[in-house]
Amino acid sequence: MCGIVGVVSSTPCKDFLIRGLKKLEYRGYDSSGMAIADLEGNVSIAKAIGAPVNLDKSLRENIDSTLATGTVGLAHTRWATHGVVSEANTHPHSCGRVTLVHNGIIENHADIKAQLSVSMKYNYQSQTDSEVLAVLLEHLMSNGETMQSAIQSMSEMVKGAYGIVAIDANKTDEIWVARSGSPMVIGLGEDANYVASDALALNAFTENFVYLDEGQIACIKQHSYQIYSSVGEPQSAQETHIPYKADCDSHVGYDSFMAKEIDEQPDVIERLIRSHVDKSGIKADSDLFLIKGKLRNVKQLHIVACGTSYNAGLVAKHFFEDYAGIPTSVEVASEYRYRAVAVPENTAFICVSQSGETADTLAALRKAKESKYLTTLTLCNVETSAMVREADLHLTLQAGTEIGVASTKAFTTQLSAFLMLAATVCEDEEKQISLIDSLLRLPDDCRSALLLSNEIKVNAAPIFEKTNSCLFLGRGEQSAIAAEGALKLKELSYIHAEAYAAGELKHGPLALIDNEIPVVVNAPGDCLHEKLVSNIEEVNARGGQFVIFSSKEAVVDLDEMVNIVMPPLPLTTACITYAIPLQLLAFHVTKLRGENVDKPRNLAKSISVE
Ligand code: F6R
């Protein structure tokens, strides 16, 4: 959560910081700020409410000489946790010699404040938990500690998570970085060194990175860097090469990242599937083959994730139980991490995440690693993420960078990866062949589903233009797709949307039905179709404006409805292809209501706080 970027350079760094912030704004866009230092020890701060473009604009109108010419800097884009959205609460925060930016949450900030107040009178400027870190470092340094030893002492005192970057006004040719629970990466340039909370912010400037491990502290200078353990021992670093990816820079040819990412789905699914399977089955040189070996004795699966990734887990339960007969439980990570979990023998743990940095899911993985699981596996889109580094096994989703806050291509690649995994552990050869056949044609089926975009825009989206509330229904695995459809619509358009397994309606939600409420149903014509039709009739008798996505054979006969007929496709992959029209519905409704499809209010892309 929140984004950090910093640099030690020989040339003015303001424009670099603005570019970095713009790349990171998917992590939060409530407000942004930067601090720039010159070699004379001047440190200047600028802040603006809203996305980094506002900071850019305000610096174009009004800038002092340190901000304009300083070569060492740090910057932050905020997703508010402690304190309202305001300039005072915007990072950087400073106290005396220390100026810093912080990602994460300091849980005991009130205790630290109270301890500090005994020896130091300080007039706090913000409501944030972060400012106390600047005050604490200043306090320790004014008692003779160096920045390094002050950060070490700080790390022993604070509870919670942090990634920080700090400047000492008495030594402005370097910046200090520390990580505990929030990712930080150093970027190695030719004439500058960088730091960021995500390599994406730096990828246009360098392809060489060093990821900080938990508890590490680093000092970054223009031509060198040194990493230390939390107790101050110098540590060697492993450099990682990440090739520049132009595709994440812009949405050229589309009006938004969401439109681009929805459209990319057939291609990224194709890349994922073809790297693991071909007509003759699982490729012997693929990661999936390795995973197959490790899951040979698996008897149960525990899937843990958050949000959209959790919905992917709900679908996967059907895959594993229907096709492989493996009992599977699915749980949200924020619950799993804090309860006593019974782990039967030969159970494998799977965490699913687009970012690989979601705090609750990462904590769940760490808990699982301490438990008696057969193995831990992550399905993740970011190869360099903490989850990929920490799980025993990983299957990367290869979806390319996802910038739109609402997950689209990551979700359908998660489903594709889960289905490949189910095919891998399925012992029935006939079923396995049929799964692989449907996977190989899936990219084309998704291409056909995307062709429905205009029909959804013209016929279905207007029904939602003025509504405040709607329902999504499905049965079987489609009830999990309904949950994802509702999540997409509510997070983007701000319409209250709920999803139900259609058979549950009569146990309460049917009371919501009147003539105004839109009801979205996925009806692929599977073995539960007759049951679903009865549920639809129950709603129809009480009102409801239906939008039904169905196969040609399963068209439901109602007087008043918008029926969108899906292309012919196999039922084994129907939950993946039927997710696409629901994404398109959320996209077009959001556009129609004039909201931002890429950056919904109150949200951020990577939730690295609890
Ligand atoms: C919604 C969405 C979120 C994420 C959730 C978990 O569109 O994207 O619900 O799925 O925050 O994030 P990851 O998958 O990065 O762990």
Side-chain angles (χ1 to χ4, degrees), residues 382-413:
V382 181
E383 263 181 89
T384 49
S385 64
M387 281 181 222
V388 170
R389 289 200 303 275
E390 294 185 28
D392 299 331
L393 302 165
H394 63 265
L395 191 57
T396 44
L397 302 170
Q398 304 180 41
T401 310
E402 192 177 66
I403 301 278
V405 165
S407 190
T408 52
K409 61 179 180 170
F411 178 65
T412 48
T413 51

Side-chain angles (χ1 to χ4, degrees), residues 345-375:
E345 215 176 313
N346 286 331
T347 302
F349 173 92
I350 305 181
C351 60
V352 200
S353 175
Q354 187 287 127
S355 62
E357 303 289 350
T358 302
D360 284 323
T361 314
L362 188 55
L365 169 62
R366 288 178 181 156
K367 171 176 171 160
K369 290 202 71 176
E370 301 295 311
S371 313
K372 289 202 161 79
Y373 282 102
L374 180 66
T375 189

Side-chain angles (χ1 to χ4, degrees), residues 445-466:
D445 290 335
C446 292
R447 284 183 188 103
S448 308
L450 284 170
L451 297 177
L452 298 172
S453 182
N454 199 46
E455 194 180 341
I456 293 169
K457 177 179 173 182
V458 174
N459 296 337
I463 294 177
F464 298 79
E465 190 177 0
K466 301 268 184 274

Side-chain angles (χ1 to χ4, degrees), residues 41-86:
N42 301 305
V43 181
S44 264
I45 293 179
K47 299 180 177 183
I49 302 295
V53 66
N54 295 355
L55 181 63
D56 190 9
K57 198 162 160 268
S58 97
L59 285 168
R60 281 170 203 273
E61 285 160 8
N62 184 15
I63 189 166
D64 70 20
S65 72
T66 309
L67 287 164
T69 61
T71 57
V72 176
L74 43 84
H76 186 271
T77 178
R78 178 170 188 247
W79 183 79
T81 56
H82 291 60
V84 296
V85 176
S86 68

